[in-house]
Amino acid sequence: MMTRRSAFETLAVGALAVSAQSAAPLKGRLKQSVCRWCYSKMSLDDLCQAAARIGLKGIDLVDYKEWPTVQKYGLVPSMTPGAGTIADALNRTENHDRLEREFRENIENAAKSGVPNVITFSGNRRGMADENAKDNCVTGLNRVKKIAEDKGVTICLELLNSKVDHHDYQCDHTAWGVEVIKRVDSPRVKLLYDIYHMQIMEGDIVRTIRANIQHIAHFHTGGVPGRHELDDTQELNWRTVAKAIADLNFQGFFAHEFVPTRDPMQSLEQAYRTCSV
């Protein structure tokens, strides 16, 4: 006959088993990663150790000095610096010589270390017409696309909002970015589609992704409003978004770029589980 104590112990063991099972990495179809800057209060070692435990596959936005730490935990530096800054980049031809030098160095380093993507930007408008800026971005990317093709590294032009976070940024709508990518016409020059930024600027996220997936190499997440957790305080159904991307057989990285308001690792694990589809 089971005693009250043995019954309690059995229940406790069962609860521990359920807890352990819930903590096990899930077999989702997306390669999820996380952006380093969102966890700047943690050491990179601690972040990588937690990311590997959760089931993430990479760390975004780390420079070459940090790659060995990331790789030590079996993770990929999934997005690293390419050339330019958010405010000062491809839309001005006077930047192109400098940007080409930066691309050459960073793509070479990335290729040697098995790093798949480097990031770049349009730059701010500062009164420049959109059509002129497109021409300049295409010219700049055409100068370096062969380098990326030869090395097997993808240049990712990031879409950002100009309404809340990056006032005056030029590549602030999907259609604008897609036209640049189409004109460059390289398998190694694509978009970094930041869902947070494009939800602010456009909405219509799932349809837009489906229509343009061939031009997208990488995703960033972040809840609207506030760029916080991917939960029921946000406008989007993140599981639906993740499933739509996975259903397109997307093979790139799906990187979490939100600023946690609660326990950081619990929030990161919750995002991972929500998007494990």
Side-chain angles (χ1 to χ4, degrees):
M1 181 175 179
M2 183 177 288
T3 65
R4 181 176 296 179
R5 180 176 178 181
S6 62
F8 175 80
E9 289 172 343
T10 300
L11 288 171
V13 170
L16 286 171
V18 170
S19 176
Q21 184 178 21
S22 67
L26 303 175
K27 293 183 179 180
R29 291 174 289 163
L30 294 175
K31 290 190 297 187
Q32 297 185 55
S33 60
V34 60
C35 290
R36 168 69 178 122
W37 73 266
C38 301
Y39 301 87
S40 58
K41 294 180 180 179
M42 299 177 64
S43 73
L44 182 58
D45 268 290
D46 286 346
L47 176 60
C48 290
Q49 186 173 6
R53 174 189 60 78
I54 289 168
L56 301 178
K57 303 300 182 185
I59 305 290
D60 252 42
L61 305 180
V62 286
D63 67 28
Y64 73 95
K65 295 178 183 177
E66 300 170 307
W67 297 349
T69 301
V70 173
Q71 292 166 329
K72 178 174 69 175
Y73 291 92
L75 302 171
V76 175
S78 40
M79 179 66 67
T80 68
T85 65
I86 289 172
D88 191 25
L90 287 160
N91 63 352
R92 281 180 160 71
T93 55
E94 59 267 29
N95 294 335
H96 288 180
D97 287 346
R98 172 176 56 83
L99 296 179
E100 182 176 344
R101 290 193 297 271
E102 292 176 10
F103 273 125
R104 283 186 181 278
E105 179 179 357
N106 290 327
I107 289 172
E108 179 72 27
N109 288 337
K112 288 178 180 178
S113 297
V115 174
N117 304 300
V118 299
I119 193 170
T120 194
F121 309 95
S122 66
N124 287 351
R125 287 181 171 86
R126 300 190 187 99
M128 180 174 290
D130 278 352
E131 292 306 313
N132 188 16
K134 285 179 195 172
D135 292 342
N136 291 346
C137 287
V138 170
T139 298
L141 289 167
N142 276 338
R143 286 179 60 161
V144 297
K145 67 182 182 183
K146 184 70 163 51
I147 303 168
E149 291 165 1
D150 289 346
K151 297 297 182 180
V153 174
T154 301
I155 297 170
C156 295
L157 174 64
E158 185 166 21
L159 295 159
L160 300 171
N161 84 75
S162 60
K163 182 178 178 182
V164 175
D165 299 287
H166 302 291
H167 297 287
D168 203 43
Y169 185 71
Q170 197 124 32
C171 185
D172 62 352
H173 281 81
T174 306
W176 195 98
V178 165
E179 184 175 341
V180 170
I181 301 306
K182 284 182 175 179
R183 288 172 58 186
V184 175
D185 191 25
S186 168
R188 290 295 176 181
V189 179
K190 295 196 176 186
L191 292 175
L192 192 173
Y193 187 97
D194 191 307
I195 299 168
Y196 162 78
H197 288 294
M198 291 303 96
Q199 173 66 1
I200 289 172
M201 295 302 296
E202 306 173 337
D204 195 21
I205 295 295
V206 170
R207 188 203 63 81
T208 301
I209 289 171
R210 286 173 175 161
N212 297 288
I213 191 64
Q214 69 271 32
H215 306 301
I216 298 170
H218 198 85
F219 286 94
H220 279 171
T221 74
V224 177
R227 190 160 217 152
H228 297 311
E229 282 87 349
L230 312 188
D231 58 18
D232 58 7
T233 68
Q234 305 300 316
E235 295 177 358
L236 289 174
N237 183 328
W238 282 95
R239 193 164 183 85
T240 296
V241 172
K243 185 176 184 301
I245 294 169
D247 287 348
L248 295 166
N249 195 33
F250 178 71
Q251 297 300 305
F253 282 89
F254 183 87
H256 298 297
E257 193 182 17
F258 62 86
V259 179
T261 60
R262 301 186 294 274
D263 179 275
M265 291 303 99
Q266 287 184 7
S267 292
L268 182 57
E269 184 161 3
Q270 178 264 324
Y272 164 78
R273 292 184 170 277
T274 295
C275 297
S276 292
V277 292

